[in-house]
Amino acid sequence: MRESPVTAFRAPVLPPVSTGFVRALPSADRFALRLKGERVVAGGFDLTGPLNSVRGTPERFAARIGPDEWLLACPAGEGRAAEAALDADLAGRFFSLVAVGHRNAAIAVCGPHAAEILNAGIALDLSDTAFPPGSATRTLLGKAEVVVMRTGDDFRVECWRSFAPYVHAFLQEAAREFG
C-alpha cells in the first residue's frame, strides 16, 4: 500500500452559494487514474464505461476521458478510503493514481438552457442526441481546459482551481441571457 501525503486545507475558490443556472459545487476528493487493459469496478468506481462517459452518482463518479484515463471523484473526506480501496482492487495491475482534489473545482450548470449556456464557450454539440446523459469529455471553454459531464438535464464542469474564477464568471455572463 502506498503512503498518502498529508494534504493542506484549501479555502473554496468560488463563492459557496451561487444562484440561478450556474453554481459552485462543494469540495470533493478527486483522482487522475491511468489504467490499461480490462475494465473493472475498483474502489467503488465503475471503470467499465466506454470512452467519453461518466458512471456513478453526482457525488461519486468515474469519468472516462481518455482510452486509459479517468477522472474519479468522491465526497470530501472520503479520498483516503477510496485510494486504499483502489490500491487493493487494482493490485497486480499496472496503474497510476494521483490525488488531484487540490487542483480542481467544480461548477454545476443547470436548467433548460444549460447546454446553450455552455455552448457560449464550448464548440461541441451538447444536444440530447450528441451528448446524452452519461456523457463526459475534455474540451475548452473559452480559454480554459475543462471536463464536462452530463447528468440528466444538468452539466458538471470540472476545471483547474486557477481557472475557476474565469470559468464561473464566463458561465454566469452567458447565463444572463436566460434571466
Side-chain angles (χ1 to χ4, degrees):
M1 171 136 169
R2 296 181 298 131
E3 232 180 272
S4 297
V6 176
T7 56
F9 171 77
R10 290 201 180 255
V13 68
L14 296 172
V17 178
S18 300
T19 57
F21 301 118
V22 179
R23 61 184 167 80
L25 292 172
S27 294
D29 290 334
R30 296 173 184 85
F31 299 92
L33 171 68
R34 302 298 296 252
L35 172 69
K36 290 187 178 184
E38 66 183 271
R39 304 297 169 226
V40 296
V41 174
F45 294 99
D46 183 350
L47 308 175
T48 64
L51 187 59
N52 293 332
S53 69
V54 61
R55 301 275 173 108
T57 67
E59 296 79 29
R60 184 182 183 88
F61 61 83
R64 186 171 178 203
I65 54 177
D68 64 349
E69 181 182 5
W70 285 261
L71 173 64
L72 310 177
C74 59
E78 293 183 15
R80 287 185 189 259
E83 183 176 14
L86 283 159
D87 278 339
D89 290 347
L90 296 175
R93 292 182 172 90
F94 293 104
F95 71 96
S96 169
L97 183 66
V98 179
V100 295
H102 62 284
R103 177 188 79 183
N104 283 21
I107 301 165
V109 183
C110 307
H113 301 289
E116 293 167 279
I117 292 168
L118 286 165
N119 277 144
I122 295 176
L124 293 175
D125 184 355
L126 298 175
S127 68
D128 293 343
T129 44
F131 202 80
S135 296
T137 192
R138 178 180 298 147
T139 188
L140 291 174
L141 185 138
K143 299 177 185 179
E145 180 182 300
V146 297
V147 174
V148 178
M149 293 164 270
R150 186 163 194 174
T151 56
D153 291 332
D154 300 333
F155 293 82
R156 178 185 184 108
V157 178
E158 292 267 340
C159 63
W160 286 12
R161 287 175 57 89
S162 58
F163 294 127
Y166 166 79
V167 170
H168 189 260
F170 188 107
L171 293 170
Q172 288 278 31
E173 180 64 28
R176 287 181 53 189
E177 180 179 342
F178 302 102

